[in-house]
Amino acid sequence: MSQFDVVILGGGSGGYACALRSSQLGLSVALIEENKLGGTCLHRGCIPTKALLHAGEVADSSRHSADFGVNTQFIGIDMLAVNAYKDGVVSKLHKGLQGLVKSRNVTYIEGHGRLVSKNEVEVNGVKYTGKNIVLATGSYPKTLPGLDIDGTQIITSEQAIAMDRVPKSVIVLGGGVIGCEFASVWKSFGSEVTIIEGLPHLIALEDESSSKGLERAFRKRGINFELGTRFKSASKDAKGVTVTLEDGKTFTAEVLLVAVGRGPVSANLGYEEAGLNMDRGYVLVDNKCRTNVPGIWAVGDLIPTLQLAHVGFGEGILVAEEIGGLNPRPINYDGVPRVTYSEPEVASVGLTTAQAKERGHDVVELNYDLAGNGKAQILKTAGAIKLVAAKNGPILGIHMVGARVGELLAEAQLIFNWEAEASDVAALIHAHPTLSEAVGEAHLALAGKPLHAHG
Ligand SMILES: Cc1cc2nc3c(=O)[nH]c(=O)nc-3n(C[C@H](O)[C@H](O)[C@H](O)COP(=O)(O)OP(=O)(O)OC[C@H]3O[C@@H](n4cnc5c(N)ncnc54)[C@H](O)[C@@H]3O)c2cc1C
């Protein structure tokens, strides 16, 4: 059969979520993938990086175990074993996902697809017709002009994930989420790390307080960074890569990781020919992920929304439900949780202080230092939870720095998305001693009845 209700191009987070939900709704679905089902997140992104970060956490725990009265000796990192662990996690999830897609009766087509008309995608000379076409071709790692990725000395996250050794030294170009996560991994593994970031802060899209908190923690860990200074050029020799900045400073390291953002995969796929509205390669959509061409939809990193796997899942599900006639609510992108999984973690939902002010809110803020939290002391982590709220109104943003704070987002996103006020949360008893207690304490303090808070 080559006629379907839904033909999906790209089997990453956005594409496969759309396929699974569409078939659940009784629609016939074809899912086209040229590489591996699961896409960037499963094979080259979220999952392998988090496995590397966890290995880094284990390394740091063994290094610092004497701080907890446990004597161990850190001997070193065996990258072959680290990769076997990481690849094992990926492979298990990959097999599970393949089974899931099969069990839901999705027709899985392997090969390179191209949009050849408003309702057809061609793969290996065969045309697949869809009443609806969903484009989910994802993104690729960008580089800068004059910076050639050779895959060994100058690399992107794709090679960084698969490295078979720990480099002695690394320059990370780009202090966004991906750059900071790799900087954290390599520092834990024993490399000398320098981050170069053109903006004034690391993870500059986060609230400034979180950026500063991460910078403080990275400085303490011995991760070097240069902020507000732009890359000029790079040269290579047998010793490594030398990076020159516009301010004249130079840095040399064994490896240069280029982490300057990701661009949409949309070239030569027939998108322009189909008449799709596009901007810098991104496919433009409305709040239901509809393109300007009726029957063609686009989701995930291909569209200019937050480049996160769970955003792809959400958009894929939204499209399936819209096609299925359920008239779902559009996504509120402010309410999407965001995590940088470095050590320490940075997690947030909602608006930064600057955004809340820009949108005209009369803003109140509260900063709760994790120094007052028992579990944080047990874990020996530092950090804070910052609340941004409307005066006499709901919580507008929650911004957290510290070990494991990503796990606190589950509650934070309910608070934000259900438009809770500080007094609503203050009335809830949090388990002691947990890190989540700090979320409760922050709201107690903002509601005017601080418990374990000084000042
Ligand atoms: C290093 C790194 C770490 C990350 N960590 C996280 C994280 O911790 N949490 C998080 O939420 N997000 C994370 N992300 C982002 C996340 O991976 C992406 O947002 C997500 O994968 C986007 O999903 P997608 O479906 O839009 O695209 P992709 O996952 O890129 O999938 C697109 C798929 O389409 C296929 N394809 C493309 N063109 C064609 C064609 N012509 N024919 C057939 N198939 C085609 C590709 O092979 C690919 O499998 C990370 C990304 C990176 C790079």
Side-chain angles (χ1 to χ4, degrees):
M1 176 173 118
S2 61
Q3 298 220 345
F4 298 86
D5 293 320
V6 191
V7 171
I8 303 166
L9 184 56
S13 311
Y16 82 70
C18 185
L20 294 175
R21 186 70 182 120
S22 297
S23 78
Q24 237 168 25
L25 293 172
L27 301 164
S28 59
V29 187
L31 180 62
I32 301 163
E33 171 56 53
E34 66 182 351
N35 196 332
K36 285 186 182 160
L37 177 64
T40 304
C41 172
L42 179 51
H43 301 283
R44 300 174 294 282
C46 327
I47 299 296
T49 50
K50 268 77 259 179
L52 291 176
L53 280 155
H54 184 64
E57 187 183 334
V58 174
D60 286 333
S61 295
S62 77
R63 260 189 210 104
H64 302 301
S65 66
D67 297 350
F68 302 88
V70 179
N71 295 325
T72 61
Q73 207 181 356
F74 174 74
I75 297 170
I77 302 288
D78 173 351
M79 269 321 285
L80 293 183
V82 168
N83 285 331
Y85 148 68
K86 175 199 71 182
D87 296 342
V89 174
V90 171
S91 147
K92 200 166 172 194
L93 291 171
H94 185 210
K95 282 202 187 90
L97 184 60
Q98 285 172 311
L100 196 60
V101 164
K102 207 166 170 190
S103 73
R104 297 270 179 91
N105 285 326
V106 169
T107 302
Y108 186 69
I109 297 154
E110 279 186 74
H112 179 79
R114 197 169 188 283
L115 188 65
V116 289
S117 78
K118 289 179 184 177
N119 59 354
E120 287 169 313
V121 176
E122 186 172 321
V123 186
N124 300 325
V126 180
K127 285 183 181 150
Y128 297 89
T129 310
K131 286 185 199 147
N132 296 277
I133 305 280
V134 182
L135 306 175
T137 43
S139 63
Y140 69 93
K142 287 201 288 198
T143 184
L144 296 176
L147 198 49
D148 286 332
I149 307 297
D150 63 19
T152 50
Q153 284 180 294
I154 303 183
I155 63 175
T156 69
S157 60
E158 312 237 318
Q159 293 90 33
I161 270 167
M163 270 178 91
D164 59 2
R165 65 183 200 289
V166 176
K168 259 181 96 65
S169 54
V170 192
I171 298 168
V172 177
L173 188 58
V177 176
I178 292 176
C180 286
E181 289 187 355
F182 275 106
S184 186
V185 169
W186 276 319
K187 185 66 197 179
S188 300
F189 284 181
S191 310
E192 177 75 17
V193 181
T194 304
I195 307 172
I196 292 163
E197 170 56 55
L199 294 170
H201 285 295
L202 296 178
I203 49 168
L205 295 180
E206 292 292 340
D207 192 88
E208 198 177 13
S209 64
S210 293
S211 296
K212 285 183 174 165
L214 183 68
E215 287 159 14
R216 234 180 343 262
F218 270 15
R219 213 172 280 125
K220 216 165 150 204
R221 289 186 63 195
I223 296 175
N224 310 308
F225 46 86
E226 293 284 321
L227 302 175
T229 173
R230 295 173 70 87
F231 167 85
K232 187 173 171 208
S233 62
S235 60
K236 291 187 290 183
D237 63 20
K239 281 202 297 242
V241 186
T242 298
V243 169
T244 304
L245 304 183
E246 279 182 354
D247 64 11
K249 282 189 191 157
T250 61
F251 297 88
T252 300
E254 186 183 325
V255 169
L256 169 63
L257 169 69
V258 181
V260 294
R262 295 180 63 83
V265 172
S266 59
N268 306 319
L269 293 178
Y271 295 177
E272 285 94 348
E273 293 85 333
L276 294 176
N277 279 344
M278 296 176 68
D279 178 29
R280 291 164 299 131
Y282 289 101
V283 173
L284 300 179
V285 294
D286 68 7
N287 66 1
K288 293 273 181 94
C289 294
R290 276 183 288 243
T291 70
N292 59 309
V293 177
I296 303 187
W297 313 71
V299 299
D301 284 7
L302 178 64
I303 64 174
T305 51
L306 285 168
Q307 291 180 327
L308 290 170
H310 43 287
V311 169
F313 296 149
E315 291 168 345
I317 292 168
L318 177 87
V319 166
E321 294 190 346
E322 185 66 23
I323 293 171
L326 299 186
N327 192 22
R329 251 195 294 178
I331 294 168
N332 172 8
Y333 289 95
D334 292 338
V336 170
R338 309 167 292 257
V339 188
T340 303
Y341 296 86
S342 47
E343 166 46 43
E345 289 185 347
V346 178
S348 65
V349 65
L351 308 182
T352 63
T353 296
Q355 287 167 334
K357 286 184 177 164
E358 263 166 40
R359 295 195 198 174
H361 292 287
D362 190 0
V363 171
V364 289
E365 296 178 336
L366 185 121
N367 211 58
Y368 183 78
D369 197 311
L370 289 185
N373 175 265
K375 184 70 186 220
Q377 292 310 305
I378 291 165
L379 294 174
K380 287 185 178 284
T381 188
I385 294 185
K386 175 180 163 179
L387 304 181
V388 179
K391 198 171 179 186
N392 302 317
I395 300 297
L396 300 173
I398 302 182
H399 305 275
M400 306 183 277
V401 180
R404 304 183 190 176
V405 293
E407 303 298 336
L408 305 183
L409 267 179
E411 180 178 15
Q413 77 180 84
L414 288 182
I415 293 170
F416 174 80
N417 285 295
W418 280 352
E419 299 174 10
E421 297 195 8
S423 55
D424 299 324
V425 186
L428 304 172
I429 294 174
H430 287 73
H432 175 76
T434 59
L435 283 177
S436 72
E437 224 180 345
V439 175
E441 295 259 0
H443 289 83
L444 276 168
L446 188 60
K449 41 182 183 175
L451 186 60
H452 300 95
H454 295 277

